[in-house]
Amino acid sequence: APPLAGLPPAASPPVAQPQPVPSFASQAVRETAPAEPVAPPAMLGKAATVAAAAPPVRLTTAPVDVPAASITVHFGSGSAELSREAIRALAPLGEALNSKTLRPFRFRIEGHTDSVGPAAMNLALSGRRALAVRALLVRYYGVDPARLEAVGYGDSQLLVPTGPEVPEMANRRVQVLNLGG
């Protein structure tokens, strides 16, 4: 089935649960946070560091000087099809990329997997997942496709270091990097 199978036509975006959409006037959370496993899409603006009392929790695998956010996007095992939950999780990102603040910028959507399965399979799967997220942002939120680059990294950039064949949910993610104007 195509990655967006079963969704309403492009003219009507998916309906998200009513939630406040984060403001993009915020500065980016970079490498540490108290207990938050991933940074919300609102954190794609300027880089900053948030101190934590506990040992730092890495939020992204992006270079320190690149504004980025990891977004947990749930996929079925071995699938690149976006779940309803994933579509809701991507709604704030879709809206944010069209904000006046972020409209001038280009972004790289990076797909990542956990360490379960062969590396070649994970690399291909992560690329399909990044393309599925890109397609959703273009189709439902009207983000200019020229602003979005989709890349898969498989299990080569684990957020949570694990051994082989460990199904770590935090590693199955999409990371969005602000590439600048």
mmCIF file of all heavy atoms in Angstrom, residues 111-141:
data_model
loop_
_atom_site.group_PDB
_atom_site.id
_atom_site.type_symbol
_atom_site.label_atom_id
_atom_site.label_comp_id
_atom_site.label_asym_id
_atom_site.label_seq_id
_atom_site.Cartn_x
_atom_site.Cartn_y
_atom_site.Cartn_z
ATOM 1 N N GLY A 111 15.439 9.897 8.132
ATOM 2 C CA GLY A 111 14.806 8.716 8.694
ATOM 3 C C GLY A 111 15.842 7.866 9.396
ATOM 4 O O GLY A 111 16.973 7.723 8.913
ATOM 5 N N HIS A 112 15.474 7.315 10.553
ATOM 6 C CA HIS A 112 16.362 6.470 11.339
ATOM 7 C C HIS A 112 15.606 5.224 11.782
ATOM 8 O O HIS A 112 14.383 5.253 11.947
ATOM 9 C CB HIS A 112 16.871 7.218 12.572
ATOM 10 C CG HIS A 112 17.675 8.430 12.241
ATOM 11 N ND1 HIS A 112 19.029 8.379 12.033
ATOM 12 C CD2 HIS A 112 17.306 9.721 12.049
ATOM 13 C CE1 HIS A 112 19.479 9.594 11.748
ATOM 14 N NE2 HIS A 112 18.447 10.424 11.748
ATOM 15 N N THR A 113 16.326 4.133 11.992
ATOM 16 C CA THR A 113 15.725 2.891 12.473
ATOM 17 C C THR A 113 16.479 2.426 13.716
ATOM 18 O O THR A 113 17.532 2.960 14.055
ATOM 19 C CB THR A 113 15.803 1.763 11.419
ATOM 20 O OG1 THR A 113 17.178 1.421 11.207
ATOM 21 C CG2 THR A 113 15.164 2.161 10.103
ATOM 22 N N ASP A 114 15.936 1.394 14.355
ATOM 23 C CA ASP A 114 16.681 0.753 15.434
ATOM 24 C C ASP A 114 17.623 -0.277 14.819
ATOM 25 O O ASP A 114 17.775 -0.337 13.598
ATOM 26 C CB ASP A 114 15.729 0.152 16.474
ATOM 27 C CG ASP A 114 14.783 -0.885 15.899
ATOM 28 O OD1 ASP A 114 15.077 -1.478 14.837
ATOM 29 O OD2 ASP A 114 13.731 -1.113 16.523
ATOM 30 N N SER A 115 18.248 -1.085 15.633
ATOM 31 C CA SER A 115 19.271 -2.012 15.141
ATOM 32 C C SER A 115 18.731 -3.390 14.767
ATOM 33 O O SER A 115 19.508 -4.301 14.493
ATOM 34 C CB SER A 115 20.392 -2.155 16.179
ATOM 35 O OG SER A 115 19.870 -2.697 17.377
ATOM 36 N N VAL A 116 17.418 -3.540 14.741
ATOM 37 C CA VAL A 116 16.829 -4.834 14.387
ATOM 38 C C VAL A 116 16.849 -5.014 12.872
ATOM 39 O O VAL A 116 16.382 -4.145 12.138
ATOM 40 C CB VAL A 116 15.384 -4.948 14.919
ATOM 41 C CG1 VAL A 116 14.738 -6.246 14.449
ATOM 42 C CG2 VAL A 116 15.369 -4.848 16.433
ATOM 43 N N GLY A 117 17.404 -6.127 12.413
ATOM 44 C CA GLY A 117 17.426 -6.427 10.985
ATOM 45 C C GLY A 117 18.750 -6.073 10.334
ATOM 46 O O GLY A 117 19.600 -5.396 10.929
ATOM 47 N N PRO A 118 18.907 -6.510 9.077
ATOM 48 C CA PRO A 118 20.149 -6.230 8.343
ATOM 49 C C PRO A 118 20.313 -4.732 8.055
ATOM 50 O O PRO A 118 19.336 -4.019 7.810
ATOM 51 C CB PRO A 118 19.984 -7.004 7.031
ATOM 52 C CG PRO A 118 18.842 -7.934 7.242
ATOM 53 C CD PRO A 118 17.997 -7.372 8.332
ATOM 54 N N ALA A 119 21.558 -4.267 8.067
ATOM 55 C CA ALA A 119 21.855 -2.843 7.850
ATOM 56 C C ALA A 119 21.299 -2.348 6.520
ATOM 57 O O ALA A 119 20.740 -1.247 6.446
ATOM 58 C CB ALA A 119 23.358 -2.605 7.934
ATOM 59 N N ALA A 120 21.428 -3.134 5.451
ATOM 60 C CA ALA A 120 20.939 -2.704 4.134
ATOM 61 C C ALA A 120 19.421 -2.529 4.147
ATOM 62 O O ALA A 120 18.889 -1.578 3.560
ATOM 63 C CB ALA A 120 21.351 -3.705 3.054
ATOM 64 N N MET A 121 18.717 -3.428 4.814
ATOM 65 C CA MET A 121 17.264 -3.315 4.918
ATOM 66 C C MET A 121 16.879 -2.062 5.710
ATOM 67 O O MET A 121 15.971 -1.322 5.330
ATOM 68 C CB MET A 121 16.675 -4.553 5.594
ATOM 69 C CG MET A 121 15.155 -4.511 5.690
ATOM 70 S SD MET A 121 14.495 -5.810 6.754
ATOM 71 C CE MET A 121 14.806 -5.107 8.365
ATOM 72 N N ASN A 122 17.574 -1.805 6.816
ATOM 73 C CA ASN A 122 17.279 -0.626 7.626
ATOM 74 C C ASN A 122 17.561 0.665 6.867
ATOM 75 O O ASN A 122 16.819 1.639 6.989
ATOM 76 C CB ASN A 122 18.078 -0.660 8.933
ATOM 77 C CG ASN A 122 17.477 -1.600 9.944
ATOM 78 O OD1 ASN A 122 16.284 -1.884 9.907
ATOM 79 N ND2 ASN A 122 18.299 -2.105 10.845
ATOM 80 N N LEU A 123 18.622 0.673 6.064
ATOM 81 C CA LEU A 123 18.943 1.858 5.277
ATOM 82 C C LEU A 123 17.818 2.152 4.280
ATOM 83 O O LEU A 123 17.348 3.293 4.175
ATOM 84 C CB LEU A 123 20.277 1.671 4.553
ATOM 85 C CG LEU A 123 20.778 2.870 3.757
ATOM 86 C CD1 LEU A 123 21.002 4.071 4.674
ATOM 87 C CD2 LEU A 123 22.070 2.508 3.040
ATOM 88 N N ALA A 124 17.362 1.146 3.567
ATOM 89 C CA ALA A 124 16.277 1.336 2.595
ATOM 90 C C ALA A 124 14.984 1.738 3.302
ATOM 91 O O ALA A 124 14.272 2.640 2.856
ATOM 92 C CB ALA A 124 16.070 0.055 1.789
ATOM 93 N N LEU A 125 14.677 1.090 4.413
ATOM 94 C CA LEU A 125 13.454 1.392 5.162
ATOM 95 C C LEU A 125 13.470 2.821 5.690
ATOM 96 O O LEU A 125 12.478 3.552 5.593
ATOM 97 C CB LEU A 125 13.299 0.399 6.317
ATOM 98 C CG LEU A 125 12.107 0.618 7.242
ATOM 99 C CD1 LEU A 125 10.796 0.533 6.471
ATOM 100 C CD2 LEU A 125 12.135 -0.419 8.375
ATOM 101 N N SER A 126 14.602 3.257 6.223
ATOM 102 C CA SER A 126 14.681 4.623 6.760
ATOM 103 C C SER A 126 14.487 5.653 5.652
ATOM 104 O O SER A 126 13.878 6.703 5.875
ATOM 105 C CB SER A 126 16.004 4.840 7.487
ATOM 106 O OG SER A 126 17.096 4.776 6.597
ATOM 107 N N GLY A 127 14.981 5.366 4.458
ATOM 108 C CA GLY A 127 14.771 6.279 3.326
ATOM 109 C C GLY A 127 13.308 6.359 2.939
ATOM 110 O O GLY A 127 12.789 7.447 2.675
ATOM 111 N N ARG A 128 12.616 5.219 2.913
ATOM 112 C CA ARG A 128 11.179 5.217 2.595
ATOM 113 C C ARG A 128 10.385 5.967 3.659
ATOM 114 O O ARG A 128 9.425 6.673 3.352
ATOM 115 C CB ARG A 128 10.659 3.791 2.439
ATOM 116 C CG ARG A 128 11.177 3.093 1.184
ATOM 117 C CD ARG A 128 10.433 1.799 0.871
ATOM 118 N NE ARG A 128 10.290 0.884 1.986
ATOM 119 C CZ ARG A 128 11.178 -0.050 2.335
ATOM 120 N NH1 ARG A 128 12.307 -0.167 1.654
ATOM 121 N NH2 ARG A 128 10.947 -0.855 3.353
ATOM 122 N N ARG A 129 10.777 5.831 4.901
ATOM 123 C CA ARG A 129 10.087 6.550 5.984
ATOM 124 C C ARG A 129 10.286 8.057 5.854
ATOM 125 O O ARG A 129 9.342 8.831 6.016
ATOM 126 C CB ARG A 129 10.588 6.049 7.338
ATOM 127 C CG ARG A 129 10.086 4.651 7.648
ATOM 128 C CD ARG A 129 10.649 4.118 8.946
ATOM 129 N NE ARG A 129 10.019 2.855 9.291
ATOM 130 C CZ ARG A 129 10.368 2.110 10.327
ATOM 131 N NH1 ARG A 129 11.347 2.514 11.128
ATOM 132 N NH2 ARG A 129 9.741 0.981 10.570
ATOM 133 N N ALA A 130 11.502 8.493 5.553
ATOM 134 C CA ALA A 130 11.756 9.931 5.365
ATOM 135 C C ALA A 130 10.940 10.461 4.190
ATOM 136 O O ALA A 130 10.362 11.548 4.255
ATOM 137 C CB ALA A 130 13.252 10.175 5.146
ATOM 138 N N LEU A 131 10.851 9.679 3.109
ATOM 139 C CA LEU A 131 10.048 10.090 1.947
ATOM 140 C C LEU A 131 8.564 10.151 2.287
ATOM 141 O O LEU A 131 7.838 11.025 1.787
ATOM 142 C CB LEU A 131 10.275 9.131 0.776
ATOM 143 C CG LEU A 131 11.614 9.287 0.060
ATOM 144 C CD1 LEU A 131 11.835 8.133 -0.913
ATOM 145 C CD2 LEU A 131 11.699 10.634 -0.652
ATOM 146 N N ALA A 132 8.073 9.243 3.141
ATOM 147 C CA ALA A 132 6.663 9.262 3.542
ATOM 148 C C ALA A 132 6.350 10.536 4.322
ATOM 149 O O ALA A 132 5.305 11.165 4.117
ATOM 150 C CB ALA A 132 6.329 8.020 4.374
ATOM 151 N N VAL A 133 7.252 10.944 5.213
ATOM 152 C CA VAL A 133 7.056 12.175 5.980
ATOM 153 C C VAL A 133 7.093 13.375 5.042
ATOM 154 O O VAL A 133 6.248 14.272 5.117
ATOM 155 C CB VAL A 133 8.110 12.297 7.102
ATOM 156 C CG1 VAL A 133 8.085 13.688 7.740
ATOM 157 C CG2 VAL A 133 7.884 11.210 8.147
ATOM 158 N N ARG A 134 8.038 13.391 4.131
ATOM 159 C CA ARG A 134 8.142 14.484 3.153
ATOM 160 C C ARG A 134 6.861 14.578 2.334
ATOM 161 O O ARG A 134 6.316 15.671 2.132
ATOM 162 C CB ARG A 134 9.341 14.261 2.241
ATOM 163 C CG ARG A 134 9.549 15.371 1.216
ATOM 164 C CD ARG A 134 10.776 15.043 0.331
ATOM 165 N NE ARG A 134 11.048 16.092 -0.603
ATOM 166 C CZ ARG A 134 10.496 16.180 -1.823
ATOM 167 N NH1 ARG A 134 9.651 15.257 -2.243
ATOM 168 N NH2 ARG A 134 10.801 17.188 -2.617
ATOM 169 N N ALA A 135 6.364 13.439 1.860
ATOM 170 C CA ALA A 135 5.138 13.426 1.051
ATOM 171 C C ALA A 135 3.955 13.984 1.833
ATOM 172 O O ALA A 135 3.145 14.740 1.292
ATOM 173 C CB ALA A 135 4.836 12.005 0.567
ATOM 174 N N LEU A 136 3.851 13.636 3.107
ATOM 175 C CA LEU A 136 2.757 14.159 3.931
ATOM 176 C C LEU A 136 2.866 15.674 4.056
ATOM 177 O O LEU A 136 1.871 16.388 3.894
ATOM 178 C CB LEU A 136 2.791 13.517 5.321
ATOM 179 C CG LEU A 136 1.741 14.116 6.264
ATOM 180 C CD1 LEU A 136 0.513 13.242 6.295
ATOM 181 C CD2 LEU A 136 2.304 14.331 7.637
ATOM 182 N N LEU A 137 4.065 16.183 4.322
ATOM 183 C CA LEU A 137 4.253 17.630 4.494
ATOM 184 C C LEU A 137 3.939 18.390 3.214
ATOM 185 O O LEU A 137 3.361 19.478 3.245
ATOM 186 C CB LEU A 137 5.681 17.922 4.959
ATOM 187 C CG LEU A 137 6.034 17.378 6.342
ATOM 188 C CD1 LEU A 137 7.531 17.542 6.615
ATOM 189 C CD2 LEU A 137 5.208 18.062 7.423
ATOM 190 N N VAL A 138 4.288 17.823 2.080
ATOM 191 C CA VAL A 138 4.010 18.463 0.791
ATOM 192 C C VAL A 138 2.521 18.393 0.472
ATOM 193 O O VAL A 138 1.901 19.396 0.125
ATOM 194 C CB VAL A 138 4.853 17.807 -0.335
ATOM 195 C CG1 VAL A 138 4.394 18.263 -1.714
ATOM 196 C CG2 VAL A 138 6.332 18.099 -0.123
ATOM 197 N N ARG A 139 1.948 17.203 0.618
ATOM 198 C CA ARG A 139 0.559 16.973 0.205
ATOM 199 C C ARG A 139 -0.455 17.691 1.088
ATOM 200 O O ARG A 139 -1.386 18.315 0.591
ATOM 201 C CB ARG A 139 0.279 15.476 0.208
ATOM 202 C CG ARG A 139 -1.116 15.115 -0.213
ATOM 203 C CD ARG A 139 -1.277 13.625 -0.308
ATOM 204 N NE ARG A 139 -2.638 13.271 -0.657
ATOM 205 C CZ ARG A 139 -3.100 12.045 -0.638
ATOM 206 N NH1 ARG A 139 -2.310 11.050 -0.291
ATOM 207 N NH2 ARG A 139 -4.341 11.794 -0.959
ATOM 208 N N TYR A 140 -0.311 17.576 2.403
ATOM 209 C CA TYR A 140 -1.330 18.116 3.304
ATOM 210 C C TYR A 140 -1.050 19.515 3.810
ATOM 211 O O TYR A 140 -1.958 20.225 4.203
ATOM 212 C CB TYR A 140 -1.537 17.176 4.490
ATOM 213 C CG TYR A 140 -2.225 15.913 4.080
ATOM 214 C CD1 TYR A 140 -1.554 14.713 4.057
ATOM 215 C CD2 TYR A 140 -3.549 15.926 3.665
ATOM 216 C CE1 TYR A 140 -2.179 13.550 3.657
ATOM 217 C CE2 TYR A 140 -4.181 14.782 3.253
ATOM 218 C CZ TYR A 140 -3.494 13.593 3.254
ATOM 219 O OH TYR A 140 -4.117 12.456 2.844
ATOM 220 N N TYR A 141 0.198 19.916 3.858
ATOM 221 C CA TYR A 141 0.523 21.224 4.399
ATOM 222 C C TYR A 141 1.049 22.173 3.343
ATOM 223 O O TYR A 141 1.371 23.313 3.651
ATOM 224 C CB TYR A 141 1.501 21.079 5.579
ATOM 225 C CG TYR A 141 0.831 20.328 6.705
ATOM 226 C CD1 TYR A 141 1.014 18.963 6.848
ATOM 227 C CD2 TYR A 141 -0.049 20.971 7.562
ATOM 228 C CE1 TYR A 141 0.359 18.250 7.838
ATOM 229 C CE2 TYR A 141 -0.712 20.270 8.548
ATOM 230 C CZ TYR A 141 -0.513 18.916 8.683
ATOM 231 O OH TYR A 141 -1.175 18.224 9.662
#
